[in-house]
Amino acid sequence: MTATPRPELQLESAALPEVCALAGVTPAGAVLLHHRSNAVYRLPEAGVVARLAPDTPLRRDRARTSVAVCRWLAERAPGLALPPIPGDQPVVAAGVVATLWPFHDPDGQRPGPEVVGQLLRGLHALEPPPFAVPEFRPLHRLTEALTMDDDRAAPALSADDRVWLRRRVDDVVTDFTATEFPLGRGVVHGDAHDENLVPLASGWTLIDWDQTCIGPRELDLVSGLPDHFHTPEHQRMRLFSAYGYDLTSWPRWPLLRDLTELHALASYIRLAPTKPSAAEELQRRVRSLRSGDRSVVWRAIA
């Protein structure tokens, strides 16, 4: 049986031509690359990637921030971020908010984790930009997703699972708020890993700045922590070595692991009703958290 397309994806697909018209690019040959928190389209004739999301105040703020931060970084520290294409952005049209970026094909290449560490070291050495950047809100997206699930006629999670997750969120957020972080606060990317890198002539650069914010710098190093994705230790150590700090030497590192794993449930709660693979993965993840079974390897569903 073919899954019913998500309402958001139907909305974003229908809005793409209007977004492209306002941005002055052609949507001809558009290909959906993936759809999680955004619908991401490659526009091959324009050489552009378009990122579309339902138009909400939160999504507008994220889009404005990512555009502003990437343009600032392109001037302040070239090579750290890919700036958006020229023109007024974000583009708001037909019920969506969109940002558009130059397409750079990784062509199957994958950089080592040390590249992520080097780029983050450069980012974290900068002073904050001369404009407002949102503060990090721990597990806000998960709380929103749980509320959305409460209101569904057929929730993705059982009532018992939602109660358990809310209690877990309260515990982790309380712990996070009371914690002092040794690396201090500054601009963080919020989702730094090798899949969010693309090659330029001068080297690799970071993309997907939708979660950028002001917060503890340790947040950008969580891809180097032991977690349910089971990254090999030697790869994690290459990240920390390039960055210049071993996050696992800090006794409070499991707090960031727990925060990140909980955060990773939010998009699967949103996807679950119309994507069976996401619903199945969501159940696996929640079961592993509730049982404390850290041998379960989580899979990413595009």
Side-chain angles (χ1 to χ4, degrees):
M1 179 182 297
T2 301
T4 303
R6 293 178 64 195
E8 298 96 330
L9 184 55
Q10 293 175 321
L11 170 69
E12 292 149 3
S13 177
L16 184 61
E18 187 171 340
V19 166
C20 290
L22 290 171
V25 300
T26 175
V31 177
L32 181 66
L33 297 180
H34 63 79
H35 189 216
R36 287 192 285 265
S37 57
N38 295 277
V40 181
Y41 289 91
R42 180 187 175 192
L43 311 177
E45 293 194 16
V48 166
V49 169
R51 301 172 59 84
L52 283 69
D55 181 20
T56 67
L58 176 62
R59 297 291 191 152
R60 285 199 190 195
D61 285 345
R62 284 182 182 166
R64 281 193 289 260
T65 299
S66 65
V67 167
V69 166
C70 288
R71 285 178 171 162
W72 171 71
L73 285 171
E75 295 181 358
R76 180 71 177 78
L80 279 181
L82 187 68
I85 67 171
D88 292 335
Q89 292 206 50
V91 175
V92 179
V96 306
V97 57
T99 57
L100 297 98
W101 309 82
F103 174 72
H104 290 268
D105 189 357
D107 194 25
Q109 302 176 69
R110 269 288 159 254
E114 62 274 7
V115 176
V116 179
Q118 291 161 2
L119 290 169
L120 290 175
R121 184 176 62 189
L123 174 65
H124 293 176
L126 299 175
E127 294 296 321
F131 51 84
V133 176
E135 290 283 327
F136 176 66
R137 294 191 288 175
L139 298 179
H140 177 72
R141 287 182 64 192
L142 177 56
T143 301
E144 283 189 334
L146 288 169
T147 299
M148 174 188 293
D149 208 39
D150 287 337
D151 295 336
R152 287 170 170 156
L157 293 169
S158 69
D160 186 57
D161 280 342
R162 296 198 303 279
V163 168
W164 184 87
L165 282 170
R166 280 198 166 87
R167 289 174 178 164
R168 190 75 185 105
V169 166
D170 288 344
D171 290 344
V172 171
V173 170
T174 298
D175 200 3
F176 181 91
T177 303
T179 297
E180 292 187 12
F181 293 88
L183 295 181
R185 294 167 50 80
V187 176
V188 297
H189 178 277
D191 194 22
H193 51 77
D194 66 354
E195 291 185 6
N196 279 336
L197 295 176
V198 295
L200 303 178
S202 57
W204 293 88
T205 191
L206 280 162
I207 61 170
D208 192 358
W209 291 76
D210 286 358
Q211 297 184 53
T212 190
C213 60
I214 300 294
R217 293 184 175 95
E218 287 85 350
L219 291 169
D220 272 342
L221 300 178
V222 294
S223 64
L225 291 177
D227 61 13
H228 273 291
F229 291 98
H230 292 195
T231 303
E233 182 178 5
H234 69 89
Q235 291 191 23
R236 295 189 273 109
M237 291 301 107
R238 285 164 63 190
L239 168 67
F240 293 151
S241 177
Y243 181 83
Y245 177 73
D246 180 356
L247 185 53
T248 58
S249 68
W250 181 47
R252 301 288 290 120
W253 71 261
L255 166 64
L256 294 178
R257 175 202 65 198
D258 295 346
L259 180 91
T260 305
E261 290 179 345
L262 286 167
H263 173 81
L265 300 179
S267 61
Y268 289 82
I269 294 173
R270 295 176 186 274
L271 283 167
T274 52
K275 193 162 191 174
S277 59
E280 180 182 353
E281 179 64 14
L282 173 64
Q283 295 299 327
R284 290 179 68 253
R285 292 185 179 196
V286 173
R287 284 196 303 270
S288 67
L289 290 176
R290 295 198 65 171
S291 67
D293 185 356
R294 305 211 63 82
S295 69
V296 177
V297 179
W298 291 5
R299 299 186 296 263
I301 306 296

